[in-house]
Amino acid sequence: MFPFLLHLIFRTEDASNKDVIRFTWKRLDRLDITLDATDPFAEIDECSAISREIVSRAPDLHSLTMFLSHDVDVPAAYFAPMADFHHLRYVCIEQGWVRMEAMSVLSKFPALEELVADIKSPEDDDSEQLVFTGFVCLEKLYCIDISHAEQSGLKRRMLEACASSPLLSLKMGDDLEYSSVLTLEEWQPLCELIARQFPALEEYTWRISRISINGLDPDEIVDNTNSSLLDAIEPLLALRTLIIVDIDFGALDVHLTDDFYSAIASAWPKLASVTFLCT
């Protein structure tokens, strides 16, 4: 019907709406879908069938963005047919949540270079049993951990899932509305993992969502007065390719010292932009 359409913006109540197929043709390069229903994947079999049809009709799709009007999980079954996209480089999930089961499917996308999604613990609380292909082409990852305190190992699991990635840009953090705040002692092993797995990293952003910061009681602020920020960030000093560093400490009570600034100035000679936000 629209053989020369390159960019489709489609808004509907749920993901089982077949009208999207009418506008999906071979030349389609970018697809933006907005889902307004509180449970847009209720008919998951139909949703999966539509995903399969989109892959068939637009095999050269490069970009997929999903906007969800409500906080809902995007099922792994919805993404499964899309693993046959051989040119899909960009996937962004706005507002919706992606459990590790769905992340396991996304890791199989052969050309995926950039992924934006909020991660959530698996339904069976056992992400160790999931198989990840390794995001073999992933260069940019932006994800916020919205799990609860008992799933605090989710960020490590996500980073480990990207073990085969040639990652250049990593943006990660916590959301205070749903998850606990990391202490510096908990942050350090993650820094060690990042430095070990992504030696060519050029951009590093760690954000603790400030949505709930203004509503925090003084007793809720995480006190790191006796912790060394330099000790926590020390593993990252080995990443001499860093160009952009942006760290929002959120509710962490940290103190930036002259020794800290001196260390990062020596370690990151290519640094072009640096941001540290503290309470």
Side-chain angles (χ1 to χ4, degrees), residues 135-155:
F135 294 101
V136 293
C137 292
L138 195 66
E139 295 182 353
K140 298 180 180 180
L141 173 64
Y142 180 23
C143 61
I144 298 296
D145 179 3
I146 59 165
S147 295
H148 300 290
E150 58 267 24
Q151 284 92 35
S152 59
L154 190 57
K155 286 182 283 297

Side-chain angles (χ1 to χ4, degrees), residues 59-70:
D60 296 329
L61 193 74
H62 285 80
S63 173
L64 172 66
T65 299
M66 296 183 63
F67 302 89
L68 291 97
S69 299
H70 302 274

Side-chain angles (χ1 to χ4, degrees), residues 164-185:
S164 301
S165 306
L167 212 63
L168 300 177
S169 175
L170 174 63
K171 301 179 180 180
M172 185 173 275
D174 294 282
D175 191 320
L176 287 179
E177 197 168 16
Y178 299 102
S179 60
S180 60
V181 180
L182 284 179
T183 65
L184 292 180
E185 289 83 357

Side-chain angles (χ1 to χ4, degrees), residues 24-176:
T24 305
W25 292 86
K26 185 176 178 58
R27 289 171 59 90
L28 192 67
D29 179 79
R30 178 178 171 184
L31 175 59
D32 298 345
I33 299 178
T34 297
L35 302 175
D36 289 329
T38 55
D39 188 6
F41 303 101
E43 304 295 334
I44 188 57
D45 290 341
E46 292 185 21
C47 296
S48 297
I50 290 174
S51 291
R52 192 173 299 108
E53 187 67 21
I54 291 173
V55 173
S56 175
R57 287 171 170 258
D60 296 329
L61 193 74
H62 285 80
S63 173
L64 172 66
T65 299
M66 296 183 63
F67 302 89
L68 291 97
S69 299
H70 302 274
D71 291 332
V72 295
D73 298 339
V74 183
Y78 180 76
F79 288 125
M82 298 183 186
D84 290 333
F85 273 129
H86 295 293
H87 305 284
L88 187 61
R89 300 192 183 104
Y90 177 81
V91 173
C92 175
I93 312 299
E94 293 279 357
Q95 191 74 20
W97 300 335
V98 180
R99 290 186 182 272
M100 293 303 282
E101 292 93 339
M103 277 295 178
S104 177
V105 174
L106 288 168
S107 77
K108 299 176 175 62
F109 284 24
L112 187 61
E113 296 178 356
E114 184 170 357
L115 174 61
V116 180
D118 290 346
I119 56 175
K120 195 175 182 182
S121 59
E123 290 186 304
D124 60 4
D125 294 328
D126 190 7
S127 63
E128 298 299 327
Q129 302 302 316
L130 296 173
V131 177
F132 288 83
T133 301
F135 294 101
V136 293
C137 292
L138 195 66
E139 295 182 353
K140 298 180 180 180
L141 173 64
Y142 180 23
C143 61
I144 298 296
D145 179 3
I146 59 165
S147 295
H148 300 290
E150 58 267 24
Q151 284 92 35
S152 59
L154 190 57
K155 286 182 283 297
R156 168 174 283 276
R157 185 70 183 98
M158 185 65 213
L159 292 170
E160 291 172 343
C162 299
S164 301
S165 306
L167 212 63
L168 300 177
S169 175
L170 174 63
K171 301 179 180 180
M172 185 173 275
D174 294 282
D175 191 320
L176 287 179

